[in-house]
Amino acid sequence: MSFNCIFDEDNFDIAIRGQKPKDYNLIARKLEDSELIVVASPTYLQNMGIPVILEDLKKHKCIEFELPSTGRKILWHFCKKGKPIELEIRGNFTILDDFLATNELVKNHAGLMQVYRFSVEKELKSGELVEISTEFNVATRPFFYYIRMPNTYRLM
């Protein structure tokens, strides 16, 4: 199961997230930098064509993800000669809360999506999804684990 917990409301003590916390009652430790790639189904690419440059993304159906904590849509990240590029994508679908739902849309020919490579490894190996190569290298995004600071301490 995958969802975004709110520590105080959902009674969780630890979580893994792809962004730094804004809550000062959390301790964050970086786990890794995860590679982001753009993927689509072979059927979608056969029908809509393969984007080659970033400008081509404007002509495609791109699947967006909105962060439940902020209500902001996630920008797509690319890299050109070591310089990060953030791109605002407009799409036909916006997914809220469950990032894995974007994978289902992509597998069902709904459009392009920027995802973490680890989340689609199986589909890439089977040919169910195809990685799109653009003029820019795809970037990485860090993952952190968070631990909630206890409100009370017990001294012995």
Side-chain angles (χ1 to χ4, degrees):
M1 180 164 70
S2 168
F3 68 95
N4 288 295
C5 71
I6 299 170
F7 281 91
D8 292 333
E9 293 176 19
D10 296 327
N11 203 26
F12 280 90
D13 294 320
I14 189 167
I16 296 175
R17 299 241 174 100
Q19 61 186 13
K20 287 187 178 181
K22 292 177 177 77
D23 184 343
Y24 294 106
N25 292 322
L26 299 176
I27 298 171
R29 296 289 183 262
K30 185 176 176 180
L31 291 171
E32 69 173 356
D33 285 315
S34 287
E35 184 181 7
L36 292 163
I37 61 173
V38 177
V39 297
S41 72
T43 301
Y44 173 84
L45 295 174
Q46 188 175 20
N47 293 334
M48 300 300 292
I50 299 172
V52 178
I53 61 173
L54 290 181
E55 283 294 312
D56 291 346
L57 295 176
K58 293 178 181 177
K59 302 172 195 165
H60 282 269
K61 298 175 184 175
C62 296
I63 301 166
E64 300 176 277
F65 182 76
E66 186 176 298
L67 288 171
S69 59
T70 64
R72 289 186 8 237
K73 293 180 181 172
I74 293 181
L75 301 174
W76 286 18
H77 296 262
F78 298 91
C79 190
K80 181 178 183 181
K81 297 180 182 174
K83 183 179 176 186
I85 298 169
E86 291 183 338
L87 190 62
E88 187 174 341
I89 296 297
R90 301 246 186 258
N92 296 6
F93 295 100
T94 300
I95 300 297
L96 309 171
D97 200 31
D98 185 4
F99 191 79
L100 295 178
T102 62
N103 293 8
E104 291 304 312
L105 280 172
V106 171
K107 289 190 292 189
N108 286 286
H109 328 299
L112 304 173
M113 180 62 196
Q114 188 174 59
V115 296
Y116 294 107
R117 179 181 292 282
F118 71 80
S119 71
V120 293
E121 279 293 336
K122 183 176 123 188
E123 291 84 356
L124 290 170
K125 286 180 183 171
S126 72
E128 189 175 9
L129 292 178
V130 176
E131 180 179 354
I132 308 300
S133 297
T134 65
E135 63 180 331
F136 303 114
N137 295 332
V138 177
T140 61
R141 189 178 293 144
F143 263 93
F144 298 88
Y145 73 88
Y146 304 122
I147 300 173
R148 180 172 49 174
M149 294 284 291
N151 291 332
T152 58
Y153 294 94
R154 196 177 336 172
L155 298 174
M156 302 192 130

